[in-house]
mmCIF file of all heavy atoms in Angstrom:
data_model
loop_
_atom_site.group_PDB
_atom_site.id
_atom_site.type_symbol
_atom_site.label_atom_id
_atom_site.label_comp_id
_atom_site.label_asym_id
_atom_site.label_seq_id
_atom_site.Cartn_x
_atom_site.Cartn_y
_atom_site.Cartn_z
ATOM 1 N N PRO P 43 11.180 11.056 7.353
ATOM 2 C CA PRO P 43 10.631 12.195 8.098
ATOM 3 C C PRO P 43 9.043 12.116 8.209
ATOM 4 O O PRO P 43 8.473 12.345 9.210
ATOM 5 C CB PRO P 43 11.088 13.433 7.340
ATOM 6 C CG PRO P 43 12.391 13.016 6.725
ATOM 7 C CD PRO P 43 12.133 11.536 6.309
ATOM 8 N N VAL P 44 8.403 11.862 7.079
ATOM 9 C CA VAL P 44 6.948 11.895 6.972
ATOM 10 C C VAL P 44 6.469 10.599 6.298
ATOM 11 O O VAL P 44 6.944 10.228 5.217
ATOM 12 C CB VAL P 44 6.480 13.071 6.196
ATOM 13 C CG1 VAL P 44 4.883 13.098 6.178
ATOM 14 C CG2 VAL P 44 6.972 14.375 6.793
ATOM 15 N N PRO P 45 5.534 9.897 6.869
ATOM 16 C CA PRO P 45 4.886 10.083 8.180
ATOM 17 C C PRO P 45 5.584 9.361 9.338
ATOM 18 O O PRO P 45 5.229 9.496 10.508
ATOM 19 C CB PRO P 45 3.488 9.564 8.003
ATOM 20 C CG PRO P 45 3.691 8.348 7.088
ATOM 21 C CD PRO P 45 4.856 8.765 6.195
ATOM 22 N N HIS P 46 6.593 8.545 8.984
ATOM 23 C CA HIS P 46 7.207 7.621 9.941
ATOM 24 C C HIS P 46 7.704 8.322 11.190
ATOM 25 O O HIS P 46 7.430 7.886 12.330
ATOM 26 C CB HIS P 46 8.268 6.803 9.281
ATOM 27 C CG HIS P 46 7.862 6.195 7.959
ATOM 28 N ND1 HIS P 46 7.794 6.936 6.847
ATOM 29 C CD2 HIS P 46 7.470 4.954 7.664
ATOM 30 C CE1 HIS P 46 7.358 6.138 5.834
ATOM 31 N NE2 HIS P 46 7.192 4.896 6.312
ATOM 32 N N ALA P 47 8.589 9.325 11.039
ATOM 33 C CA ALA P 47 9.131 10.049 12.144
ATOM 34 C C ALA P 47 8.073 10.732 12.941
ATOM 35 O O ALA P 47 8.124 10.816 14.207
ATOM 36 C CB ALA P 47 10.270 10.949 11.702
ATOM 37 N N GLU P 48 7.069 11.275 12.246
ATOM 38 C CA GLU P 48 6.013 11.950 12.931
ATOM 39 C C GLU P 48 5.186 11.016 13.835
ATOM 40 O O GLU P 48 4.802 11.318 14.946
ATOM 41 C CB GLU P 48 5.005 12.593 11.858
ATOM 42 C CG GLU P 48 5.684 13.757 11.167
ATOM 43 C CD GLU P 48 4.711 14.373 10.144
ATOM 44 O OE1 GLU P 48 3.683 13.679 9.757
ATOM 45 O OE2 GLU P 48 4.977 15.505 9.709
ATOM 46 N N ILE P 49 4.985 9.759 13.335
ATOM 47 C CA ILE P 49 4.254 8.737 14.112
ATOM 48 C C ILE P 49 5.113 8.380 15.306
ATOM 49 O O ILE P 49 4.613 8.239 16.448
ATOM 50 C CB ILE P 49 3.869 7.584 13.232
ATOM 51 C CG1 ILE P 49 2.874 7.970 12.172
ATOM 52 C CG2 ILE P 49 3.291 6.461 14.121
ATOM 53 C CD1 ILE P 49 2.633 6.943 11.085
ATOM 54 N N LEU P 50 6.398 8.131 15.099
ATOM 55 C CA LEU P 50 7.278 7.741 16.189
ATOM 56 C C LEU P 50 7.404 8.864 17.201
ATOM 57 O O LEU P 50 7.461 8.575 18.408
ATOM 58 C CB LEU P 50 8.674 7.447 15.624
ATOM 59 C CG LEU P 50 8.782 6.150 14.840
ATOM 60 C CD1 LEU P 50 10.137 6.106 14.104
ATOM 61 C CD2 LEU P 50 8.665 4.954 15.746
ATOM 62 N N ASN P 51 7.456 10.149 16.776
ATOM 63 C CA ASN P 51 7.535 11.205 17.678
ATOM 64 C C ASN P 51 6.277 11.392 18.549
ATOM 65 O O ASN P 51 6.329 11.788 19.686
ATOM 66 C CB ASN P 51 7.906 12.527 17.031
ATOM 67 C CG ASN P 51 9.388 12.612 16.683
ATOM 68 O OD1 ASN P 51 10.224 12.260 17.508
ATOM 69 N ND2 ASN P 51 9.751 13.179 15.502
ATOM 70 N N TYR P 52 5.126 11.011 17.939
ATOM 71 C CA TYR P 52 3.873 10.957 18.711
ATOM 72 C C TYR P 52 3.952 9.943 19.805
ATOM 73 O O TYR P 52 3.616 10.213 20.980
ATOM 74 C CB TYR P 52 2.713 10.670 17.789
ATOM 75 C CG TYR P 52 1.426 10.430 18.570
ATOM 76 C CD1 TYR P 52 0.660 11.485 19.081
ATOM 77 C CD2 TYR P 52 1.025 9.158 18.903
ATOM 78 C CE1 TYR P 52 -0.480 11.260 19.866
ATOM 79 C CE2 TYR P 52 -0.120 8.885 19.633
ATOM 80 C CZ TYR P 52 -0.857 9.959 20.123
ATOM 81 O OH TYR P 52 -2.031 9.730 20.908
ATOM 82 N N VAL P 53 4.497 8.771 19.465
ATOM 83 C CA VAL P 53 4.703 7.697 20.445
ATOM 84 C C VAL P 53 5.675 8.174 21.507
ATOM 85 O O VAL P 53 5.391 7.976 22.731
ATOM 86 C CB VAL P 53 5.202 6.408 19.817
ATOM 87 C CG1 VAL P 53 5.698 5.404 20.864
ATOM 88 C CG2 VAL P 53 4.138 5.851 18.898
ATOM 89 N N LYS P 54 6.720 8.780 21.127
ATOM 90 C CA LYS P 54 7.763 9.277 22.066
ATOM 91 C C LYS P 54 7.157 10.310 23.018
ATOM 92 O O LYS P 54 7.433 10.293 24.261
ATOM 93 C CB LYS P 54 8.931 9.881 21.307
ATOM 94 C CG LYS P 54 10.049 10.462 22.169
ATOM 95 C CD LYS P 54 11.144 11.050 21.310
ATOM 96 C CE LYS P 54 12.221 11.659 22.172
ATOM 97 N NZ LYS P 54 13.310 12.271 21.394
ATOM 98 N N ASP P 55 6.360 11.253 22.511
ATOM 99 C CA ASP P 55 5.854 12.387 23.329
ATOM 100 C C ASP P 55 4.647 12.028 24.151
ATOM 101 O O ASP P 55 4.418 12.665 25.163
ATOM 102 C CB ASP P 55 5.530 13.484 22.401
ATOM 103 C CG ASP P 55 6.688 14.166 21.679
ATOM 104 O OD1 ASP P 55 7.838 13.891 22.208
ATOM 105 O OD2 ASP P 55 6.561 14.839 20.655
ATOM 106 N N HIS P 56 3.899 10.978 23.755
ATOM 107 C CA HIS P 56 2.627 10.733 24.459
ATOM 108 C C HIS P 56 2.516 9.317 25.075
ATOM 109 O O HIS P 56 1.664 9.133 25.989
ATOM 110 C CB HIS P 56 1.454 10.937 23.521
ATOM 111 C CG HIS P 56 1.309 12.335 22.979
ATOM 112 N ND1 HIS P 56 2.018 12.776 21.796
ATOM 113 C CD2 HIS P 56 0.639 13.420 23.451
ATOM 114 C CE1 HIS P 56 1.721 14.025 21.618
ATOM 115 N NE2 HIS P 56 0.907 14.409 22.574
ATOM 116 N N LEU P 57 3.283 8.387 24.622
ATOM 117 C CA LEU P 57 3.052 6.991 25.078
ATOM 118 C C LEU P 57 4.270 6.332 25.663
ATOM 119 O O LEU P 57 4.133 5.390 26.519
ATOM 120 C CB LEU P 57 2.549 6.171 23.945
ATOM 121 C CG LEU P 57 1.325 6.604 23.136
ATOM 122 C CD1 LEU P 57 1.049 5.747 21.940
ATOM 123 C CD2 LEU P 57 0.108 6.698 24.089
ATOM 124 N N ALA P 58 5.454 6.701 25.232
ATOM 125 C CA ALA P 58 6.690 5.932 25.568
ATOM 126 C C ALA P 58 6.989 5.975 27.098
ATOM 127 O O ALA P 58 7.307 4.896 27.670
ATOM 128 C CB ALA P 58 7.882 6.453 24.774
ATOM 129 N N ASP P 59 6.929 7.130 27.673
ATOM 130 C CA ASP P 59 7.298 7.225 29.150
ATOM 131 C C ASP P 59 6.452 6.263 30.005
ATOM 132 O O ASP P 59 6.994 5.588 30.859
ATOM 133 C CB ASP P 59 7.155 8.660 29.585
ATOM 134 C CG ASP P 59 8.284 9.565 29.150
ATOM 135 O OD1 ASP P 59 9.318 9.002 28.643
ATOM 136 O OD2 ASP P 59 8.169 10.764 29.288
ATOM 137 N N LYS P 60 5.171 6.281 29.786
ATOM 138 C CA LYS P 60 4.307 5.474 30.514
ATOM 139 C C LYS P 60 4.617 4.006 30.309
ATOM 140 O O LYS P 60 4.380 3.152 31.264
ATOM 141 C CB LYS P 60 2.832 5.723 30.163
ATOM 142 C CG LYS P 60 1.808 5.076 31.019
ATOM 143 C CD LYS P 60 0.403 5.449 30.658
ATOM 144 C CE LYS P 60 -0.698 4.783 31.520
ATOM 145 N NZ LYS P 60 -2.009 5.179 31.154
ATOM 146 N N ALA P 61 5.099 3.633 29.144
ATOM 147 C CA ALA P 61 5.398 2.222 28.874
ATOM 148 C C ALA P 61 6.792 1.859 29.312
ATOM 149 O O ALA P 61 7.236 0.685 29.143
ATOM 150 C CB ALA P 61 5.226 1.955 27.347
ATOM 151 N N GLY P 62 7.531 2.840 29.821
ATOM 152 C CA GLY P 62 8.874 2.583 30.217
ATOM 153 C C GLY P 62 9.866 2.403 29.071
ATOM 154 O O GLY P 62 10.895 1.688 29.189
ATOM 155 N N LEU P 63 9.631 3.091 28.036
ATOM 156 C CA LEU P 63 10.446 3.040 26.816
ATOM 157 C C LEU P 63 11.188 4.305 26.519
ATOM 158 O O LEU P 63 10.569 5.388 26.421
ATOM 159 C CB LEU P 63 9.599 2.682 25.582
ATOM 160 C CG LEU P 63 10.309 2.697 24.241
ATOM 161 C CD1 LEU P 63 11.347 1.536 24.134
ATOM 162 C CD2 LEU P 63 9.336 2.501 23.098
ATOM 163 N N LYS P 64 12.515 4.277 26.452
ATOM 164 C CA LYS P 64 13.256 5.429 25.986
ATOM 165 C C LYS P 64 13.470 5.314 24.473
ATOM 166 O O LYS P 64 13.956 4.333 24.020
ATOM 167 C CB LYS P 64 14.670 5.418 26.633
ATOM 168 C CG LYS P 64 14.603 5.589 28.157
ATOM 169 C CD LYS P 64 16.042 5.462 28.742
ATOM 170 C CE LYS P 64 16.038 5.497 30.252
ATOM 171 N NZ LYS P 64 17.412 5.293 30.834
ATOM 172 N N LEU P 65 13.033 6.346 23.786
ATOM 173 C CA LEU P 65 12.942 6.284 22.324
ATOM 174 C C LEU P 65 13.678 7.490 21.700
ATOM 175 O O LEU P 65 13.426 8.667 22.173
ATOM 176 C CB LEU P 65 11.476 6.262 21.842
ATOM 177 C CG LEU P 65 11.200 6.063 20.378
ATOM 178 C CD1 LEU P 65 11.760 4.790 19.839
ATOM 179 C CD2 LEU P 65 9.690 6.188 20.140
ATOM 180 N N GLU P 66 14.497 7.233 20.680
ATOM 181 C CA GLU P 66 15.201 8.304 19.996
ATOM 182 C C GLU P 66 14.870 8.050 18.519
ATOM 183 O O GLU P 66 15.085 6.947 18.008
ATOM 184 C CB GLU P 66 16.642 8.251 20.225
ATOM 185 C CG GLU P 66 17.447 9.355 19.468
ATOM 186 C CD GLU P 66 18.940 9.332 19.727
ATOM 187 O OE1 GLU P 66 19.392 8.802 20.817
ATOM 188 O OE2 GLU P 66 19.658 9.778 18.816
ATOM 189 N N VAL P 67 14.422 9.160 17.807
ATOM 190 C CA VAL P 67 14.085 9.003 16.447
ATOM 191 C C VAL P 67 15.161 9.716 15.567
ATOM 192 O O VAL P 67 15.488 10.886 15.826
ATOM 193 C CB VAL P 67 12.699 9.693 16.167
ATOM 194 C CG1 VAL P 67 12.272 9.533 14.663
ATOM 195 C CG2 VAL P 67 11.637 9.146 17.036
ATOM 196 N N LYS P 68 15.658 8.999 14.588
ATOM 197 C CA LYS P 68 16.727 9.539 13.769
ATOM 198 C C LYS P 68 16.170 9.534 12.326
ATOM 199 O O LYS P 68 15.858 8.493 11.739
ATOM 200 C CB LYS P 68 18.006 8.671 13.839
ATOM 201 C CG LYS P 68 19.229 9.267 13.230
ATOM 202 C CD LYS P 68 20.470 8.421 13.577
ATOM 203 C CE LYS P 68 21.741 9.094 13.104
ATOM 204 N NZ LYS P 68 22.945 8.249 13.462
ATOM 205 N N GLU P 69 16.100 10.728 11.691
ATOM 206 C CA GLU P 69 15.553 10.858 10.392
ATOM 207 C C GLU P 69 16.516 10.693 9.248
ATOM 208 O O GLU P 69 17.642 11.181 9.348
ATOM 209 C CB GLU P 69 14.875 12.229 10.244
ATOM 210 C CG GLU P 69 13.757 12.460 11.262
ATOM 211 C CD GLU P 69 12.959 13.702 11.019
ATOM 212 O OE1 GLU P 69 13.238 14.416 10.025
ATOM 213 O OE2 GLU P 69 12.058 14.056 11.842
ATOM 214 N N PHE P 70 16.065 10.001 8.225
ATOM 215 C CA PHE P 70 16.849 9.809 6.971
ATOM 216 C C PHE P 70 15.925 10.135 5.756
ATOM 217 O O PHE P 70 14.770 9.835 5.841
ATOM 218 C CB PHE P 70 17.327 8.360 6.892
ATOM 219 C CG PHE P 70 18.372 7.959 7.917
ATOM 220 C CD1 PHE P 70 17.972 7.415 9.092
ATOM 221 C CD2 PHE P 70 19.722 8.147 7.632
ATOM 222 C CE1 PHE P 70 18.892 7.108 10.077
ATOM 223 C CE2 PHE P 70 20.649 7.776 8.571
ATOM 224 C CZ PHE P 70 20.274 7.283 9.809
ATOM 225 N N THR P 71 16.543 10.702 4.731
ATOM 226 C CA THR P 71 15.694 11.095 3.624
ATOM 227 C C THR P 71 15.907 10.124 2.417
ATOM 228 O O THR P 71 15.305 10.333 1.375
ATOM 229 C CB THR P 71 16.039 12.495 3.158
ATOM 230 O OG1 THR P 71 17.436 12.599 2.821
ATOM 231 C CG2 THR P 71 15.680 13.528 4.241
ATOM 232 N N ASP P 72 16.729 9.072 2.587
ATOM 233 C CA ASP P 72 16.899 8.115 1.525
ATOM 234 C C ASP P 72 16.445 6.741 1.933
ATOM 235 O O ASP P 72 16.056 6.538 3.128
ATOM 236 C CB ASP P 72 18.423 8.075 1.097
ATOM 237 C CG ASP P 72 19.183 7.377 2.218
ATOM 238 O OD1 ASP P 72 19.451 7.970 3.248
ATOM 239 O OD2 ASP P 72 19.611 6.196 2.023
ATOM 240 N N TYR P 73 16.402 5.793 0.992
ATOM 241 C CA TYR P 73 15.920 4.490 1.288
ATOM 242 C C TYR P 73 16.952 3.397 1.520
ATOM 243 O O TYR P 73 16.658 2.265 1.628
ATOM 244 C CB TYR P 73 15.014 4.019 0.109
ATOM 245 C CG TYR P 73 13.611 4.660 0.012
ATOM 246 C CD1 TYR P 73 12.834 4.553 -1.089
ATOM 247 C CD2 TYR P 73 13.055 5.243 1.175
ATOM 248 C CE1 TYR P 73 11.553 5.111 -1.144
ATOM 249 C CE2 TYR P 73 11.813 5.807 1.101
ATOM 250 C CZ TYR P 73 11.060 5.832 -0.067
ATOM 251 O OH TYR P 73 9.795 6.278 -0.160
ATOM 252 N N ASN P 74 18.253 3.858 1.562
ATOM 253 C CA ASN P 74 19.346 2.858 1.764
ATOM 254 C C ASN P 74 19.938 2.852 3.100
ATOM 255 O O ASN P 74 20.125 1.826 3.746
ATOM 256 C CB ASN P 74 20.429 3.108 0.695
ATOM 257 C CG ASN P 74 19.995 2.754 -0.719
ATOM 258 O OD1 ASN P 74 19.600 1.634 -0.950
ATOM 259 N ND2 ASN P 74 20.077 3.671 -1.587
ATOM 260 N N THR P 75 20.245 4.058 3.644
ATOM 261 C CA THR P 75 20.906 4.209 4.951
ATOM 262 C C THR P 75 20.186 3.583 6.061
ATOM 263 O O THR P 75 20.832 2.986 6.930
ATOM 264 C CB THR P 75 21.198 5.725 5.256
ATOM 265 O OG1 THR P 75 21.743 6.306 4.025
ATOM 266 C CG2 THR P 75 22.122 5.803 6.366
ATOM 267 N N PRO P 76 18.883 3.664 6.177
ATOM 268 C CA PRO P 76 18.189 3.096 7.403
ATOM 269 C C PRO P 76 18.493 1.571 7.588
ATOM 270 O O PRO P 76 18.725 1.132 8.687
ATOM 271 C CB PRO P 76 16.693 3.352 7.113
ATOM 272 C CG PRO P 76 16.714 4.579 6.316
ATOM 273 C CD PRO P 76 17.877 4.491 5.407
ATOM 274 N N ASN P 77 18.431 0.829 6.445
ATOM 275 C CA ASN P 77 18.683 -0.589 6.499
ATOM 276 C C ASN P 77 20.138 -0.862 6.827
ATOM 277 O O ASN P 77 20.453 -1.776 7.652
ATOM 278 C CB ASN P 77 18.250 -1.287 5.197
ATOM 279 C CG ASN P 77 16.778 -1.704 5.256
ATOM 280 O OD1 ASN P 77 16.175 -1.887 6.273
ATOM 281 N ND2 ASN P 77 16.251 -1.797 4.074
ATOM 282 N N LEU P 78 21.039 -0.128 6.195
ATOM 283 C CA LEU P 78 22.488 -0.368 6.441
ATOM 284 C C LEU P 78 22.793 -0.010 7.860
ATOM 285 O O LEU P 78 23.646 -0.743 8.492
ATOM 286 C CB LEU P 78 23.298 0.525 5.488
ATOM 287 C CG LEU P 78 23.154 0.174 3.969
ATOM 288 C CD1 LEU P 78 23.884 1.179 3.110
ATOM 289 C CD2 LEU P 78 23.672 -1.260 3.688
ATOM 290 N N SER P 79 22.287 1.027 8.442
ATOM 291 C CA SER P 79 22.451 1.413 9.761
ATOM 292 C C SER P 79 21.914 0.393 10.800
ATOM 293 O O SER P 79 22.501 0.164 11.860
ATOM 294 C CB SER P 79 21.878 2.817 10.121
ATOM 295 O OG SER P 79 22.506 3.787 9.268
ATOM 296 N N THR P 80 20.789 -0.184 10.427
ATOM 297 C CA THR P 80 20.223 -1.270 11.254
ATOM 298 C C THR P 80 21.071 -2.488 11.234
ATOM 299 O O THR P 80 21.304 -3.142 12.195
ATOM 300 C CB THR P 80 18.759 -1.536 10.796
ATOM 301 O OG1 THR P 80 17.970 -0.363 10.767
ATOM 302 C CG2 THR P 80 18.110 -2.601 11.693
ATOM 303 N N GLN P 81 21.542 -2.807 10.044
ATOM 304 C CA GLN P 81 22.430 -3.992 9.933
ATOM 305 C C GLN P 81 23.663 -3.863 10.735
ATOM 306 O O GLN P 81 24.127 -4.817 11.388
ATOM 307 C CB GLN P 81 22.766 -4.216 8.405
ATOM 308 C CG GLN P 81 23.631 -5.424 8.127
ATOM 309 C CD GLN P 81 22.878 -6.744 8.332
ATOM 310 O OE1 GLN P 81 21.596 -6.777 8.256
ATOM 311 N NE2 GLN P 81 23.558 -7.804 8.555
ATOM 312 N N ASP P 82 24.351 -2.659 10.688
ATOM 313 C CA ASP P 82 25.619 -2.517 11.404
ATOM 314 C C ASP P 82 25.446 -2.128 12.856
ATOM 315 O O ASP P 82 26.455 -1.984 13.571
ATOM 316 C CB ASP P 82 26.599 -1.566 10.689
ATOM 317 C CG ASP P 82 26.082 -0.080 10.738
ATOM 318 O OD1 ASP P 82 25.261 0.300 11.602
ATOM 319 O OD2 ASP P 82 26.570 0.760 9.892
#
Side-chain angles (χ1 to χ4, degrees):
V44 180
H46 310 79
E48 291 180 342
I49 295 170
L50 287 168
N51 280 319
Y52 171 79
V53 170
K54 178 181 177 181
D55 294 341
H56 297 88
L57 306 174
D59 283 348
K60 187 175 180 181
L63 174 65
K64 296 176 184 177
L65 184 61
E66 181 181 335
V67 183
K68 193 170 184 179
E69 296 185 7
F70 292 90
T71 57
D72 72 286
Y73 284 164
N74 290 305
T75 312
N77 275 334
L78 295 175
S79 297
T80 304
Q81 181 72 21
D82 69 21

